[in-house]
Amino acid sequence: NTKGIQQKQLPCRVNFITSAYFTGFDICEPYHLIIASDIKKQHTIVSELQATQIIGRCRKPHKLISINFVYSFTTKKIPIRKLAELISSAEQEIEGLNCIYNKFTKHPLLKEKAITLREMLISQTGFSGFNFVKNNFGGKNQISYLNIDAFLENQRTKSTVFKNKSYLKKYFEKENYTVNYSSRTPTISIELKDEEKIKNEFTDTIEFLKTKPDKLTLRNFMLKKTGLPIQLCKFYIDAVNQLGFKDTIIRLEASNTKKKIQELHNALIAFYVDKTDFIKRNILHDFPVGKTFTNSDEYEKQVELTSLRIGSIEAEKFSITKAKKLIKLFVEIKKTTSRNKDTTESITHISILKVVSHNPMKFKKCKPKNILI
């Protein structure tokens, strides 16, 4: 956000990212600079060259009051890839992609999947998050020399700059900076502290709910909490009358993240709130137990038909994405195999998707009384 920067001066303390490929701000005032780089976090790695760019944002005649470069290093051996090896890898990848693409485009049913498949393969190749092949404006595969250069620079930084504790000290001394260097061994990382805090909050909330608190005690507890404890309490309030105390606690103990408890809560509401009963009846009608789909395309088509049927009645827009999420709440579908006889009377096994249950969450009340379409 650049709105707060007036006349090249900082309005307050700021964090910013700089790069050789983007324009940075010139700051025309003296300030303290802190640069942080963690070798374990790819997106935070700052080389000595990038640090020089960051320092250079303070424009003359102004000078930085201080520069603090906080970084971690590694003792692990870094495998070195050479330029010729990377280019050769990209050429082989392009050859394979073209072969697959050409084969797919020759068949009318596979043609529309060809581009999607190619993009998926490209996204899954490369090294350390760098893809060496890209699609040009004409839709053809070509070598991404920019990404190769970026990979080589990242490799150099890991194997040289952060492989030696004192590399940056020596570098900046050669650049005529006055350098004070010290090494610290952290006792525990911030991430571990956060994980420990969440774990303790989860355990404390479960133990509190096991006491069967009354409404006033529960409300006072929630007023002092945020995040996961609030989500656990909200589910407890909605679930205890429907599922019973014991079943509610068992489910809470298995939901130790906000995502898990939100999914469980959504499922509870979907099964027990009356306004969703129409949606539930249609989904169970379209996906009866035992129904099979020979492939994902057949399943997708059924999802589309179901979403259209519900959307034609519901006032709000009912998308395919929403349909998929709701189907997972009401219907358990598993990948399995089935025996199939071909024209030669030989028995083969094919992969299928099969509806195995109408109660994935194992709720006590699930099946609607009537199917009304």
Side-chain angles (χ1 to χ4, degrees), residues 349-366:
H349 287 80
I350 57 172
S351 297
I352 60 170
L353 297 172
K354 184 176 182 179
V355 178
V356 296
S357 170
H358 278 173
N359 195 358
M361 297 292 181
K362 302 296 185 290
F363 287 128
K364 294 177 182 177
K365 298 177 182 178
C366 169

mmCIF file with all atom_site columns, all heavy atoms in Angstrom, residues 349-366:
data_model
loop_
_atom_site.group_PDB
_atom_site.id
_atom_site.type_symbol
_atom_site.label_atom_id
_atom_site.label_alt_id
_atom_site.label_comp_id
_atom_site.label_asym_id
_atom_site.label_entity_id
_atom_site.label_seq_id
_atom_site.pdbx_PDB_ins_code
_atom_site.Cartn_x
_atom_site.Cartn_y
_atom_site.Cartn_z
_atom_site.occupancy
_atom_site.B_iso_or_equiv
_atom_site.pdbx_formal_charge
_atom_site.auth_seq_id
_atom_site.auth_comp_id
_atom_site.auth_asym_id
_atom_site.auth_atom_id
_atom_site.pdbx_PDB_model_num
ATOM 1   N N   . HIS A 1 349 ? -11.096 -55.888 -14.413 1.00 0.00 ? 349 HIS A N   1
ATOM 2   C CA  . HIS A 1 349 ? -11.451 -55.039 -13.280 1.00 0.00 ? 349 HIS A CA  1
ATOM 3   C C   . HIS A 1 349 ? -11.235 -53.584 -13.665 1.00 0.00 ? 349 HIS A C   1
ATOM 4   O O   . HIS A 1 349 ? -10.185 -53.221 -14.203 1.00 0.00 ? 349 HIS A O   1
ATOM 5   C CB  . HIS A 1 349 ? -10.608 -55.389 -12.053 1.00 0.00 ? 349 HIS A CB  1
ATOM 6   C CG  . HIS A 1 349 ? -11.008 -56.688 -11.422 1.00 0.00 ? 349 HIS A CG  1
ATOM 7   N ND1 . HIS A 1 349 ? -10.601 -57.909 -11.931 1.00 0.00 ? 349 HIS A ND1 1
ATOM 8   C CD2 . HIS A 1 349 ? -11.788 -56.962 -10.346 1.00 0.00 ? 349 HIS A CD2 1
ATOM 9   C CE1 . HIS A 1 349 ? -11.098 -58.882 -11.184 1.00 0.00 ? 349 HIS A CE1 1
ATOM 10  N NE2 . HIS A 1 349 ? -11.818 -58.329 -10.221 1.00 0.00 ? 349 HIS A NE2 1
ATOM 11  N N   . ILE A 1 350 ? -12.240 -52.763 -13.404 1.00 0.00 ? 350 ILE A N   1
ATOM 12  C CA  . ILE A 1 350 ? -12.135 -51.346 -13.728 1.00 0.00 ? 350 ILE A CA  1
ATOM 13  C C   . ILE A 1 350 ? -12.309 -50.514 -12.456 1.00 0.00 ? 350 ILE A C   1
ATOM 14  O O   . ILE A 1 350 ? -12.970 -50.923 -11.499 1.00 0.00 ? 350 ILE A O   1
ATOM 15  C CB  . ILE A 1 350 ? -13.202 -50.915 -14.765 1.00 0.00 ? 350 ILE A CB  1
ATOM 16  C CG1 . ILE A 1 350 ? -14.614 -51.225 -14.246 1.00 0.00 ? 350 ILE A CG1 1
ATOM 17  C CG2 . ILE A 1 350 ? -12.960 -51.580 -16.106 1.00 0.00 ? 350 ILE A CG2 1
ATOM 18  C CD1 . ILE A 1 350 ? -15.727 -50.674 -15.106 1.00 0.00 ? 350 ILE A CD1 1
ATOM 19  N N   . SER A 1 351 ? -11.701 -49.338 -12.440 1.00 0.00 ? 351 SER A N   1
ATOM 20  C CA  . SER A 1 351 ? -11.827 -48.428 -11.297 1.00 0.00 ? 351 SER A CA  1
ATOM 21  C C   . SER A 1 351 ? -13.154 -47.686 -11.385 1.00 0.00 ? 351 SER A C   1
ATOM 22  O O   . SER A 1 351 ? -13.555 -47.235 -12.458 1.00 0.00 ? 351 SER A O   1
ATOM 23  C CB  . SER A 1 351 ? -10.678 -47.426 -11.289 1.00 0.00 ? 351 SER A CB  1
ATOM 24  O OG  . SER A 1 351 ? -9.440  -48.081 -11.119 1.00 0.00 ? 351 SER A OG  1
ATOM 25  N N   . ILE A 1 352 ? -13.845 -47.573 -10.255 1.00 0.00 ? 352 ILE A N   1
ATOM 26  C CA  . ILE A 1 352 ? -15.136 -46.873 -10.218 1.00 0.00 ? 352 ILE A CA  1
ATOM 27  C C   . ILE A 1 352 ? -15.229 -46.015 -8.951  1.00 0.00 ? 352 ILE A C   1
ATOM 28  O O   . ILE A 1 352 ? -14.448 -46.188 -8.011  1.00 0.00 ? 352 ILE A O   1
ATOM 29  C CB  . ILE A 1 352 ? -16.330 -47.856 -10.242 1.00 0.00 ? 352 ILE A CB  1
ATOM 30  C CG1 . ILE A 1 352 ? -16.267 -48.787 -9.020  1.00 0.00 ? 352 ILE A CG1 1
ATOM 31  C CG2 . ILE A 1 352 ? -16.378 -48.642 -11.530 1.00 0.00 ? 352 ILE A CG2 1
ATOM 32  C CD1 . ILE A 1 352 ? -17.523 -49.614 -8.823  1.00 0.00 ? 352 ILE A CD1 1
ATOM 33  N N   . LEU A 1 353 ? -16.188 -45.104 -8.957  1.00 0.00 ? 353 LEU A N   1
ATOM 34  C CA  . LEU A 1 353 ? -16.554 -44.356 -7.760  1.00 0.00 ? 353 LEU A CA  1
ATOM 35  C C   . LEU A 1 353 ? -17.900 -44.884 -7.295  1.00 0.00 ? 353 LEU A C   1
ATOM 36  O O   . LEU A 1 353 ? -18.830 -45.015 -8.096  1.00 0.00 ? 353 LEU A O   1
ATOM 37  C CB  . LEU A 1 353 ? -16.663 -42.852 -8.070  1.00 0.00 ? 353 LEU A CB  1
ATOM 38  C CG  . LEU A 1 353 ? -15.381 -42.158 -8.518  1.00 0.00 ? 353 LEU A CG  1
ATOM 39  C CD1 . LEU A 1 353 ? -15.698 -40.734 -8.962  1.00 0.00 ? 353 LEU A CD1 1
ATOM 40  C CD2 . LEU A 1 353 ? -14.361 -42.134 -7.407  1.00 0.00 ? 353 LEU A CD2 1
ATOM 41  N N   . LYS A 1 354 ? -18.011 -45.210 -6.000  1.00 0.00 ? 354 LYS A N   1
ATOM 42  C CA  . LYS A 1 354 ? -19.233 -45.846 -5.504  1.00 0.00 ? 354 LYS A CA  1
ATOM 43  C C   . LYS A 1 354 ? -19.751 -45.129 -4.261  1.00 0.00 ? 354 LYS A C   1
ATOM 44  O O   . LYS A 1 354 ? -18.990 -44.795 -3.360  1.00 0.00 ? 354 LYS A O   1
ATOM 45  C CB  . LYS A 1 354 ? -18.963 -47.311 -5.170  1.00 0.00 ? 354 LYS A CB  1
ATOM 46  C CG  . LYS A 1 354 ? -20.202 -48.097 -4.742  1.00 0.00 ? 354 LYS A CG  1
ATOM 47  C CD  . LYS A 1 354 ? -19.863 -49.556 -4.519  1.00 0.00 ? 354 LYS A CD  1
ATOM 48  C CE  . LYS A 1 354 ? -21.098 -50.356 -4.141  1.00 0.00 ? 354 LYS A CE  1
ATOM 49  N NZ  . LYS A 1 354 ? -20.784 -51.794 -3.937  1.00 0.00 ? 354 LYS A NZ  1
ATOM 50  N N   . VAL A 1 355 ? -21.076 -44.888 -4.230  1.00 0.00 ? 355 VAL A N   1
ATOM 51  C CA  . VAL A 1 355 ? -21.723 -44.316 -3.047  1.00 0.00 ? 355 VAL A CA  1
ATOM 52  C C   . VAL A 1 355 ? -21.869 -45.432 -2.010  1.00 0.00 ? 355 VAL A C   1
ATOM 53  O O   . VAL A 1 355 ? -22.587 -46.406 -2.245  1.00 0.00 ? 355 VAL A O   1
ATOM 54  C CB  . VAL A 1 355 ? -23.106 -43.730 -3.395  1.00 0.00 ? 355 VAL A CB  1
ATOM 55  C CG1 . VAL A 1 355 ? -23.776 -43.187 -2.134  1.00 0.00 ? 355 VAL A CG1 1
ATOM 56  C CG2 . VAL A 1 355 ? -22.978 -42.644 -4.452  1.00 0.00 ? 355 VAL A CG2 1
ATOM 57  N N   . VAL A 1 356 ? -21.194 -45.302 -0.881  1.00 0.00 ? 356 VAL A N   1
ATOM 58  C CA  . VAL A 1 356 ? -21.185 -46.378 0.117   1.00 0.00 ? 356 VAL A CA  1
ATOM 59  C C   . VAL A 1 356 ? -22.012 -46.041 1.355   1.00 0.00 ? 356 VAL A C   1
ATOM 60  O O   . VAL A 1 356 ? -22.351 -46.931 2.139   1.00 0.00 ? 356 VAL A O   1
ATOM 61  C CB  . VAL A 1 356 ? -19.744 -46.728 0.545   1.00 0.00 ? 356 VAL A CB  1
ATOM 62  C CG1 . VAL A 1 356 ? -18.959 -47.276 -0.634  1.00 0.00 ? 356 VAL A CG1 1
ATOM 63  C CG2 . VAL A 1 356 ? -19.034 -45.511 1.140   1.00 0.00 ? 356 VAL A CG2 1
ATOM 64  N N   . SER A 1 357 ? -22.341 -44.744 1.537   1.00 0.00 ? 357 SER A N   1
ATOM 65  C CA  . SER A 1 357 ? -23.099 -44.369 2.730   1.00 0.00 ? 357 SER A CA  1
ATOM 66  C C   . SER A 1 357 ? -23.740 -43.001 2.546   1.00 0.00 ? 357 SER A C   1
ATOM 67  O O   . SER A 1 357 ? -23.248 -42.169 1.795   1.00 0.00 ? 357 SER A O   1
ATOM 68  C CB  . SER A 1 357 ? -22.178 -44.338 3.959   1.00 0.00 ? 357 SER A CB  1
ATOM 69  O OG  . SER A 1 357 ? -22.823 -43.756 5.072   1.00 0.00 ? 357 SER A OG  1
ATOM 70  N N   . HIS A 1 358 ? -24.874 -42.791 3.255   1.00 0.00 ? 358 HIS A N   1
ATOM 71  C CA  . HIS A 1 358 ? -25.512 -41.482 3.301   1.00 0.00 ? 358 HIS A CA  1
ATOM 72  C C   . HIS A 1 358 ? -25.197 -40.776 4.616   1.00 0.00 ? 358 HIS A C   1
ATOM 73  O O   . HIS A 1 358 ? -25.853 -39.790 4.962   1.00 0.00 ? 358 HIS A O   1
ATOM 74  C CB  . HIS A 1 358 ? -27.033 -41.625 3.156   1.00 0.00 ? 358 HIS A CB  1
ATOM 75  C CG  . HIS A 1 358 ? -27.465 -41.752 1.736   1.00 0.00 ? 358 HIS A CG  1
ATOM 76  N ND1 . HIS A 1 358 ? -28.762 -42.042 1.370   1.00 0.00 ? 358 HIS A ND1 1
ATOM 77  C CD2 . HIS A 1 358 ? -26.775 -41.624 0.572   1.00 0.00 ? 358 HIS A CD2 1
ATOM 78  C CE1 . HIS A 1 358 ? -28.850 -42.089 0.052   1.00 0.00 ? 358 HIS A CE1 1
ATOM 79  N NE2 . HIS A 1 358 ? -27.662 -41.848 -0.452  1.00 0.00 ? 358 HIS A NE2 1
ATOM 80  N N   . ASN A 1 359 ? -24.206 -41.251 5.318   1.00 0.00 ? 359 ASN A N   1
ATOM 81  C CA  . ASN A 1 359 ? -23.910 -40.687 6.630   1.00 0.00 ? 359 ASN A CA  1
ATOM 82  C C   . ASN A 1 359 ? -22.405 -40.671 6.893   1.00 0.00 ? 359 ASN A C   1
ATOM 83  O O   . ASN A 1 359 ? -21.920 -41.381 7.769   1.00 0.00 ? 359 ASN A O   1
ATOM 84  C CB  . ASN A 1 359 ? -24.634 -41.507 7.702   1.00 0.00 ? 359 ASN A CB  1
ATOM 85  C CG  . ASN A 1 359 ? -24.693 -40.799 9.031   1.00 0.00 ? 359 ASN A CG  1
ATOM 86  O OD1 . ASN A 1 359 ? -24.168 -39.700 9.185   1.00 0.00 ? 359 ASN A OD1 1
ATOM 87  N ND2 . ASN A 1 359 ? -25.324 -41.424 9.999   1.00 0.00 ? 359 ASN A ND2 1
ATOM 88  N N   . PRO A 1 360 ? -21.630 -39.873 6.154   1.00 0.00 ? 360 PRO A N   1
ATOM 89  C CA  . PRO A 1 360 ? -20.171 -39.864 6.314   1.00 0.00 ? 360 PRO A CA  1
ATOM 90  C C   . PRO A 1 360 ? -19.734 -39.480 7.724   1.00 0.00 ? 360 PRO A C   1
ATOM 91  O O   . PRO A 1 360 ? -18.723 -39.970 8.219   1.00 0.00 ? 360 PRO A O   1
ATOM 92  C CB  . PRO A 1 360 ? -19.712 -38.803 5.307   1.00 0.00 ? 360 PRO A CB  1
ATOM 93  C CG  . PRO A 1 360 ? -20.829 -38.655 4.350   1.00 0.00 ? 360 PRO A CG  1
ATOM 94  C CD  . PRO A 1 360 ? -22.072 -38.923 5.118   1.00 0.00 ? 360 PRO A CD  1
ATOM 95  N N   . MET A 1 361 ? -20.493 -38.569 8.374   1.00 0.00 ? 361 MET A N   1
ATOM 96  C CA  . MET A 1 361 ? -20.121 -38.094 9.710   1.00 0.00 ? 361 MET A CA  1
ATOM 97  C C   . MET A 1 361 ? -20.670 -38.990 10.828  1.00 0.00 ? 361 MET A C   1
ATOM 98  O O   . MET A 1 361 ? -20.445 -38.718 12.007  1.00 0.00 ? 361 MET A O   1
ATOM 99  C CB  . MET A 1 361 ? -20.642 -36.661 9.907   1.00 0.00 ? 361 MET A CB  1
ATOM 100 C CG  . MET A 1 361 ? -20.035 -35.654 8.961   1.00 0.00 ? 361 MET A CG  1
ATOM 101 S SD  . MET A 1 361 ? -18.283 -35.405 9.323   1.00 0.00 ? 361 MET A SD  1
ATOM 102 C CE  . MET A 1 361 ? -17.893 -34.160 8.069   1.00 0.00 ? 361 MET A CE  1
ATOM 103 N N   . LYS A 1 362 ? -21.404 -40.038 10.423  1.00 0.00 ? 362 LYS A N   1
ATOM 104 C CA  . LYS A 1 362 ? -21.984 -40.988 11.383  1.00 0.00 ? 362 LYS A CA  1
ATOM 105 C C   . LYS A 1 362 ? -22.878 -40.290 12.403  1.00 0.00 ? 362 LYS A C   1
ATOM 106 O O   . LYS A 1 362 ? -22.826 -40.563 13.602  1.00 0.00 ? 362 LYS A O   1
ATOM 107 C CB  . LYS A 1 362 ? -20.855 -41.764 12.100  1.00 0.00 ? 362 LYS A CB  1
ATOM 108 C CG  . LYS A 1 362 ? -19.925 -42.520 11.172  1.00 0.00 ? 362 LYS A CG  1
ATOM 109 C CD  . LYS A 1 362 ? -20.667 -43.611 10.433  1.00 0.00 ? 362 LYS A CD  1
ATOM 110 C CE  . LYS A 1 362 ? -19.728 -44.461 9.582   1.00 0.00 ? 362 LYS A CE  1
ATOM 111 N NZ  . LYS A 1 362 ? -19.181 -43.774 8.416   1.00 0.00 ? 362 LYS A NZ  1
ATOM 112 N N   . PHE A 1 363 ? -23.734 -39.372 11.909  1.00 0.00 ? 363 PHE A N   1
ATOM 113 C CA  . PHE A 1 363 ? -24.707 -38.724 12.780  1.00 0.00 ? 363 PHE A CA  1
ATOM 114 C C   . PHE A 1 363 ? -25.855 -39.681 13.089  1.00 0.00 ? 363 PHE A C   1
ATOM 115 O O   . PHE A 1 363 ? -26.160 -40.574 12.302  1.00 0.00 ? 363 PHE A O   1
ATOM 116 C CB  . PHE A 1 363 ? -25.266 -37.458 12.131  1.00 0.00 ? 363 PHE A CB  1
ATOM 117 C CG  . PHE A 1 363 ? -24.288 -36.319 12.095  1.00 0.00 ? 363 PHE A CG  1
ATOM 118 C CD1 . PHE A 1 363 ? -24.009 -35.659 10.912  1.00 0.00 ? 363 PHE A CD1 1
ATOM 119 C CD2 . PHE A 1 363 ? -23.647 -35.902 13.254  1.00 0.00 ? 363 PHE A CD2 1
ATOM 120 C CE1 . PHE A 1 363 ? -23.114 -34.605 10.881  1.00 0.00 ? 363 PHE A CE1 1
ATOM 121 C CE2 . PHE A 1 363 ? -22.746 -34.861 13.230  1.00 0.00 ? 363 PHE A CE2 1
ATOM 122 C CZ  . PHE A 1 363 ? -22.475 -34.206 12.042  1.00 0.00 ? 363 PHE A CZ  1
ATOM 123 N N   . LYS A 1 364 ? -26.522 -39.466 14.210  1.00 0.00 ? 364 LYS A N   1
ATOM 124 C CA  . LYS A 1 364 ? -27.602 -40.356 14.623  1.00 0.00 ? 364 LYS A CA  1
ATOM 125 C C   . LYS A 1 364 ? -28.828 -40.210 13.724  1.00 0.00 ? 364 LYS A C   1
ATOM 126 O O   . LYS A 1 364 ? -29.483 -41.177 13.394  1.00 0.00 ? 364 LYS A O   1
ATOM 127 C CB  . LYS A 1 364 ? -27.989 -40.066 16.082  1.00 0.00 ? 364 LYS A CB  1
ATOM 128 C CG  . LYS A 1 364 ? -26.896 -40.405 17.083  1.00 0.00 ? 364 LYS A CG  1
ATOM 129 C CD  . LYS A 1 364 ? -27.314 -40.020 18.490  1.00 0.00 ? 364 LYS A CD  1
ATOM 130 C CE  . LYS A 1 364 ? -26.198 -40.321 19.485  1.00 0.00 ? 364 LYS A CE  1
ATOM 131 N NZ  . LYS A 1 364 ? -26.566 -39.874 20.851  1.00 0.00 ? 364 LYS A NZ  1
ATOM 132 N N   . LYS A 1 365 ? -29.126 -38.950 13.348  1.00 0.00 ? 365 LYS A N   1
ATOM 133 C CA  . LYS A 1 365 ? -30.275 -38.696 12.494  1.00 0.00 ? 365 LYS A CA  1
ATOM 134 C C   . LYS A 1 365 ? -29.754 -38.191 11.155  1.00 0.00 ? 365 LYS A C   1
ATOM 135 O O   . LYS A 1 365 ? -29.096 -37.182 11.101  1.00 0.00 ? 365 LYS A O   1
ATOM 136 C CB  . LYS A 1 365 ? -31.187 -37.649 13.112  1.00 0.00 ? 365 LYS A CB  1
ATOM 137 C CG  . LYS A 1 365 ? -31.766 -38.079 14.445  1.00 0.00 ? 365 LYS A CG  1
ATOM 138 C CD  . LYS A 1 365 ? -32.614 -36.945 15.054  1.00 0.00 ? 365 LYS A CD  1
ATOM 139 C CE  . LYS A 1 365 ? -33.157 -37.333 16.419  1.00 0.00 ? 365 LYS A CE  1
ATOM 140 N NZ  . LYS A 1 365 ? -33.921 -36.221 17.009  1.00 0.00 ? 365 LYS A NZ  1
ATOM 141 N N   . CYS A 1 366 ? -30.059 -38.891 10.108  1.00 0.00 ? 366 CYS A N   1
ATOM 142 C CA  . CYS A 1 366 ? -29.503 -38.511 8.821   1.00 0.00 ? 366 CYS A CA  1
ATOM 143 C C   . CYS A 1 366 ? -30.530 -38.564 7.710   1.00 0.00 ? 366 CYS A C   1
ATOM 144 O O   . CYS A 1 366 ? -30.831 -37.580 7.060   1.00 0.00 ? 366 CYS A O   1
ATOM 145 C CB  . CYS A 1 366 ? -28.312 -39.393 8.463   1.00 0.00 ? 366 CYS A CB  1
ATOM 146 S SG  . CYS A 1 366 ? -27.743 -39.216 6.785   1.00 0.00 ? 366 CYS A SG  1
#
